[in-house]
Amino acid sequence: MSETNGSPAPAADSTPDLEHGHGHGAHGHPQAVWKLAVGAIGIVFGDIGTSPLYAFRETFAGHHPLALDQAHIMGVISLMFWSMMIVVTFKYVTIIMRADNKGEGGSLALLALINSQSGKKKWTAGIVILGVFATALFYGDSMITPAVSVLSAVEGIAVAAPGFSGWILPIAVAILVFLFSIQRTGTAKVGAFFGPIMLTYFATIATLGTLSVIKSPEVLWALLPVHAVNFFLIDPLAAFLALGAVVLAVTGAEALYADMGHFGRKPIRVSWLWFVLPALMLNYMGQGGLLMRDATALESPFYMLAPEYLRLPLVGIATLAAIIASQAVITGAFSVTQQGIQLGFIPRLRITHTSAATAGQIYIPLINWALMTAIILLVLSFRTSSNLTAAYGIAVTGAMLIDNCLLAVVLFSLWKWKKRYAIPLLALFFTVDLAYFTANLTKIPYGGWFPLLVGIVIFTLLTTWAKGRRLMVERMREAAMPIKVFIQSAAVSATRVRGTAVFMTSSPDGVPHALLHNLKHNKVLHERVILLTVKIADQPFVAEKDRVRNEDLGEGFHRMLLYYGFMQEADVPGALKRAGKCGGKFDMMDTSFFLSRQTLLPSERPGMRIWREKLFAWMLRNAESAMEFFRLPTNRVVELGSQVEI
């Protein structure tokens, strides 16, 4: 077994560089930056880019409807603009994206960065729990985003061709089934079209918004914060409740941070400030101007912006944009799952690489089909995007609040900011995000319970696995015989046979159980014995030169440590072939791999509650075998069982 399913272990060099190496080409040639910026528009901004489909409508027609007068419309536009400026531009793009882990972003990457830098501080366990819960909430968000994006896009059919409104649900389900069925083939080829499609989409919504603004130029004054303040002064309760829908305009902000490793900080910043933000605001102002002129357009202000003859093509391009937004979330779910497996929070799962050239292009069958099932059930249960938006927001605002807590640790402990700078900044972020979160709590009875339920279930699974693995490693370490004692006694008494034996072990101390069982039952030792542990660093990538650590224990015994980053795949045979100074080269036809498969026994020891022990045992039984996970040759593996009490 390996440290990939125990507690994260820091590598020799796990000090992240906060100022350099932000993804690919972040500091490169201007042409490369613009090329990456176009790619970022196609992948990163799909979620926030499809918000105009439903965000403005839901603010006025949702569970807490507002009066359609100029003061409320201007107030909502102002709130949306300043939310984007504070939450997206200032908080994520300007501040949080500087806290990268060797170029990688996201809650788990930030958590690994804090762990590697903080040492043995008392609050580290609490920060870990917050980071894991943010990850759990992400899975709830990754179920709702495709459902609400695709459904709200397809609902345009009811506006463009009312006779086909009965086909909305079947078409939405068919699109989702198709989307998930193509995941196993990889998205590299399809991804090449994402940028141009999203560029067309943003240009279209910006143009439609501009045409409407020209007819009602007074909406431009809504960019002044005085209108947001006035909204709270004239109708404070309605303004507070409206925040639960206004936040829909910034859903997807966390995706900018999570996808930073693919594009780099600078391209994302360029595409947001110069293209996406202006396009979104022009469309929101255009919808506001339309509602000032025609209150009946509230049925679907996004589609009503277009002339009647253009509405059906707009449905087509909006549906493509929704599919791309969904694809980004699905890819994100695969990436977060891989990080969780490597950092020891998720059991080993089957991971398929869909691109030989791009390491990040992966496919995880279990996550894919579980997401598809959950999303289709959501669509069939809630039936309309308006109903689904009630469930949308709690997961996002909860994750944003947690990001604030992680940012506080970064500012004070990692960056050593002075309190007079850090405290006002954090106060602003906490005030805004707490307002959004509490406003969204009012939507719990209408569907907001769903992401919370998903988050609690997944949080329980993640923490149960992490704690169970830690307890297993501790129990096995307690029972382990010192390796020097074993070598002194076994090396002279046991019969030695030709070849190499590699014993996979999660602990770099003591004698692996598989080695003891092999000697007990087969009564032989190989000429060369490798005690191999795979360790995952608190950084996304470990260089090839730092991959292998080897210690010669004498009598043909070697202790080997293989280090990988949490974004890398552990290829044990490949690493062995490149390893030197270990008693000669490795011939896979002359090498046997010995694995230990643990069986859990009920225990009186104070480890975990009995229901969590049973849950952990079930997860352990259903985890992917170490043979496939570490890419071991199937005809060279021997599994030996052992029993462990936790």
Side-chain angles (χ1 to χ4, degrees), residues 40-58:
I41 288 170
I43 301 294
V44 177
F45 296 102
D47 190 354
I48 198 169
T50 52
S51 294
L53 287 164
Y54 48 82
F56 205 82
R57 179 194 70 208
E58 288 309 306

Side-chain angles (χ1 to χ4, degrees), residues 12 179 223 231 242 248 311 319 422 429 453 464 482 518 528 564 586:
L179 178 62
L223 299 182
F231 185 13
L248 296 173
R311 285 175 191 164
T319 302
F429 293 159
L453 177 64
T464 297
N518 181 55
R528 180 169 55 168
Y564 289 91
F586 286 88

Side-chain angles (χ1 to χ4, degrees), residues 110-111 114-115 123-132 402 405-406 409:
L110 184 56
L111 179 61
I114 292 170
N115 267 349
W123 42 255
T124 303
I127 292 298
V128 169
I129 288 172
L130 283 175
V132 172
I402 292 171
C405 298
L406 298 178
V409 177

Side-chain angles (χ1 to χ4, degrees), residues 388-406:
L388 269 168
T389 53
Y392 205 13
I394 287 187
V396 174
T397 52
M400 286 179 177
L401 263 177
I402 292 171
D403 283 345
N404 285 346
C405 298
L406 298 178

Side-chain angles (χ1 to χ4, degrees), residues 218-269:
E218 64 271 20
V219 296
L220 291 169
W221 292 108
L223 299 182
L224 296 174
V226 66
H227 291 283
V229 174
N230 185 53
F231 185 13
F232 275 90
L233 292 176
I234 62 172
D235 206 345
L237 179 61
F240 170 72
L241 294 174
L243 291 177
V246 169
V247 75
L248 296 173
V250 296
T251 56
E254 68 282 2
L256 314 189
Y257 181 48
D259 287 327
M260 182 168 60
H262 295 291
F263 300 99
R265 192 173 72 200
K266 192 172 182 181
I268 290 175
R269 183 179 292 170

Side-chain angles (χ1 to χ4, degrees), residues 51 54-60 73 76-77 80 284 287-288 291:
S51 294
Y54 48 82
F56 205 82
R57 179 194 70 208
E58 288 309 306
T59 310
F60 289 93
I73 291 172
V76 167
I77 295 172
M80 286 183 167
Y284 285 128
Q287 290 187 43
L291 291 179

Side-chain angles (χ1 to χ4, degrees), residues 105-139:
S107 295
L108 280 179
L110 184 56
L111 179 61
L113 170 66
I114 292 170
N115 267 349
S116 67
Q117 298 289 295
S118 62
K120 300 281 185 180
K121 297 209 175 167
K122 291 181 181 177
W123 42 255
T124 303
I127 292 298
V128 169
I129 288 172
L130 283 175
V132 172
F133 193 63
T135 303
L137 287 174
F138 172 80
Y139 284 102

Side-chain angles (χ1 to χ4, degrees), residues 113-359:
L113 170 66
I114 292 170
N115 267 349
S116 67
Q117 298 289 295
S118 62
K120 300 281 185 180
K121 297 209 175 167
K122 291 181 181 177
W123 42 255
T124 303
I127 292 298
V128 169
I129 288 172
L130 283 175
V132 172
F133 193 63
T135 303
L137 287 174
F138 172 80
Y139 284 102
D141 185 30
S142 65
M143 294 174 188
I144 298 171
T145 296
V148 73
S149 298
V150 171
L151 199 51
S152 59
V154 176
E155 281 172 349
I157 291 173
V159 179
F164 290 92
S165 57
W167 287 87
I168 290 173
L169 278 180
I171 291 173
V173 170
I175 288 171
L176 289 166
V177 170
F178 170 75
L179 178 62
F180 281 94
S181 65
I182 64 170
Q183 294 303 312
R184 65 179 183 273
T185 62
T187 56
K189 292 180 180 177
V190 182
F193 298 101
F194 284 3
I197 290 172
M198 291 305 293
L199 278 170
T200 305
Y201 168 78
F202 281 118
T204 301
I205 66 171
T207 302
L208 293 174
T210 302
L211 293 174
S212 178
V213 168
I214 290 170
K215 295 176 184 175
S216 303
E218 64 271 20
V219 296
L220 291 169
W221 292 108
L223 299 182
L224 296 174
V226 66
H227 291 283
V229 174
N230 185 53
F231 185 13
F232 275 90
L233 292 176
I234 62 172
D235 206 345
L237 179 61
F240 170 72
L241 294 174
L243 291 177
V246 169
V247 75
L248 296 173
V250 296
T251 56
E254 68 282 2
L256 314 189
Y257 181 48
D259 287 327
M260 182 168 60
H262 295 291
F263 300 99
R265 192 173 72 200
K266 192 172 182 181
I268 290 175
R269 183 179 292 170
V270 166
S271 51
W272 167 252
L273 291 173
W274 293 97
F275 199 79
V276 178
L277 175 61
L280 291 175
M281 281 316 304
L282 282 169
N283 193 263
Y284 285 128
M285 288 189 293
Q287 290 187 43
L290 174 64
L291 291 179
M292 284 184 192
R293 300 190 303 270
D294 179 12
T296 61
L298 186 59
E299 176 194 353
S300 183
F302 176 83
Y303 285 109
M304 293 290 192
L305 279 177
E308 195 170 335
Y309 63 90
L310 286 179
R311 285 175 191 164
L312 207 54
L314 185 59
V315 171
I317 193 168
T319 302
L320 286 174
I323 291 171
I324 291 168
S326 304
Q327 178 61 60
V329 173
I330 296 165
T331 304
F334 292 159
S335 179
V336 165
T337 302
Q338 184 187 34
Q339 290 184 31
I341 292 169
Q342 298 290 57
L343 291 171
F345 294 110
I346 299 175
R348 286 188 300 263
L349 300 174
R350 178 168 298 179
I351 298 176
T352 304
H353 287 259
T354 58
S355 170
T358 310

